[in-house]
Amino acid sequence: MAADRVIADFNMSLKDQIVKEKLPNHVAIIMDGNGRWAKQKGLVRVMGHENGTKAVREAVEASAELGIKNLTLYAFSTENWKRPKLEVQTLMKLLVRSLKKEIKTLQDNNIKLSAIGCLKDLPNKAYEELQDVIEKTKDNTNMTLTLALSYGSREEIVKVIKELSLKVKNNIISPESIDESIINKHLYTQNLPDVDLLIRTSGEQRISNFLLWQIAYAELYFTDILWPDFKKENLYKALITYQNRERRFGKTSEQLT
């Protein structure tokens, strides 16, 4: 009990260091390390994904409690379809089970679920369950939780170019009118602000085709923690690091002050 109290006090002290007025508006997380976590424990890879859902709950609840308005999780990339068939099937079943299980948490915390990516590539069962939860939570206003599923940023950008090219061809828009705002309106993330903080777990320091346009000025935070071990205090640490950085957006420090 004493140890639990020490841990609770430590977590609270980290949380107390976070300045509510300086919270990022949009946090995105590359949830990496499920397979390595399972391997380290002598378990099959799917057990890593199973335990990764607990970390998802921790991140979502912590973000909602703090008042972060937008949280985007990289759940399944376009490249992940190349993984062993059994692992992909298990991930899709896990997605369905998690959506059913977590809808109460979403409703209780007033969280709206959204999704980006080639969603029609999902198995029918997963797609239908996803749309059902999206519909049931569409009026929630505390936070928007976005799942990137069958998502790849290069595919997204190619999609935008094709759509804009077709509009130019049909004289709907002129080439001269194309600017950042027009491109933003054609992205999967058209209803989301740019990412302020990108977190990646597992020690890997790369972006892996995730939100390449949207993270142009995001602060990047890498941690060696494997995703199933990612707790609320790990999110607090990332937020504290973010708040201690100077975000200049191309300006000088003198201009900011």
Side-chain angles (χ1 to χ4, degrees):
M1 292 298 293
D4 291 341
R5 192 175 302 111
V6 169
I7 293 173
D9 290 342
F10 175 68
N11 291 347
M12 183 61 76
S13 66
L14 280 175
K15 190 175 181 180
D16 286 344
Q17 292 179 47
I18 297 171
V19 181
K20 292 295 183 70
E21 292 76 21
K22 293 176 64 178
L23 282 171
N25 190 24
H26 188 179
V27 176
I29 305 179
I30 300 175
M31 307 179 293
D32 194 21
N34 289 340
R36 273 165 286 171
W37 182 91
K39 186 176 181 180
Q40 286 179 6
K41 298 181 182 302
L43 303 171
V44 294
R45 286 178 59 86
V46 293
M47 292 305 298
H49 299 306
E50 287 269 6
N51 282 274
T53 61
K54 299 174 184 177
V56 170
R57 189 180 305 115
E58 291 259 343
V60 171
E61 289 181 350
S63 298
E65 290 167 4
L66 289 170
I68 293 171
K69 299 304 295 182
N70 299 281
L71 176 65
T72 298
L73 304 178
Y74 203 7
F76 193 88
S77 73
T78 50
E79 291 78 20
N80 286 156
W81 292 112
K82 301 173 186 176
R83 291 191 174 186
K85 186 175 181 180
L86 178 60
E87 182 175 347
V88 172
Q89 290 174 340
T90 302
L91 282 168
M92 291 299 112
K93 290 177 182 177
L94 183 60
L95 172 62
V96 172
R97 188 160 73 244
S98 297
L99 287 167
K100 288 180 177 179
K101 184 178 179 180
E102 298 301 330
I103 187 166
K104 185 178 186 302
T105 300
L106 296 175
Q107 298 290 36
D108 289 346
N109 289 279
N110 195 20
I111 297 172
K112 174 183 177 180
L113 182 69
S114 179
I116 58 174
C118 301
L119 303 181
K120 289 298 178 69
D121 289 344
L122 299 174
N124 290 338
K125 181 80 171 173
Y127 179 80
E128 290 169 4
E129 191 64 37
L130 177 66
Q131 293 302 322
D132 181 60
V133 179
I134 288 173
E135 176 63 25
K136 288 178 178 176
T137 62
K138 66 179 182 180
D139 296 323
N140 292 346
T141 58
N142 186 45
M143 185 178 83
T144 297
L145 170 63
T146 302
L147 301 180
L149 293 163
S150 189
Y151 174 86
S153 190
R154 287 185 172 183
E155 182 277 329
E156 177 182 31
I157 292 171
V158 169
K159 176 187 76 72
V160 171
I161 292 172
K162 288 180 177 179
E163 290 175 357
L164 292 176
S165 298
L166 189 60
K167 287 186 176 182
V168 169
K169 180 180 178 180
N170 293 327
N171 295 316
I172 298 173
I173 61 173
S174 67
E176 294 76 21
S177 69
I178 299 174
D179 56 14
E180 288 187 18
S181 64
I182 292 289
I183 293 173
N184 283 332
K185 290 176 182 176
H186 288 78
L187 293 169
Y188 289 130
T189 55
Q190 58 188 268
N191 296 317
L192 294 171
D194 282 346
V195 176
D196 296 305
L197 172 62
L198 174 68
I199 300 169
R200 180 168 187 151
T201 59
S202 88
E204 302 291 355
Q205 298 188 20
R206 55 178 176 267
I207 306 305
S208 296
N209 198 19
F210 185 47
L211 301 175
L212 300 179
W213 175 276
Q214 298 88 339
I215 63 169
Y217 276 103
E219 297 297 322
L220 308 183
Y221 179 87
F222 301 104
T223 175
D224 290 334
I225 300 291
L226 299 176
W227 179 247
D229 292 327
F230 193 85
K231 309 299 182 186
K232 289 184 179 182
E233 60 265 28
N234 301 118
L235 178 63
Y236 299 155
K237 288 179 182 177
L239 292 170
I240 291 167
T241 299
Y242 165 83
Q243 293 189 339
N244 285 327
R245 293 182 186 177
E246 182 180 68
R247 304 190 72 203
R248 296 192 297 272
F249 299 96
K251 297 180 181 180
T252 66
S253 298
E254 291 74 20
Q255 285 176 299
L256 294 177
T257 56

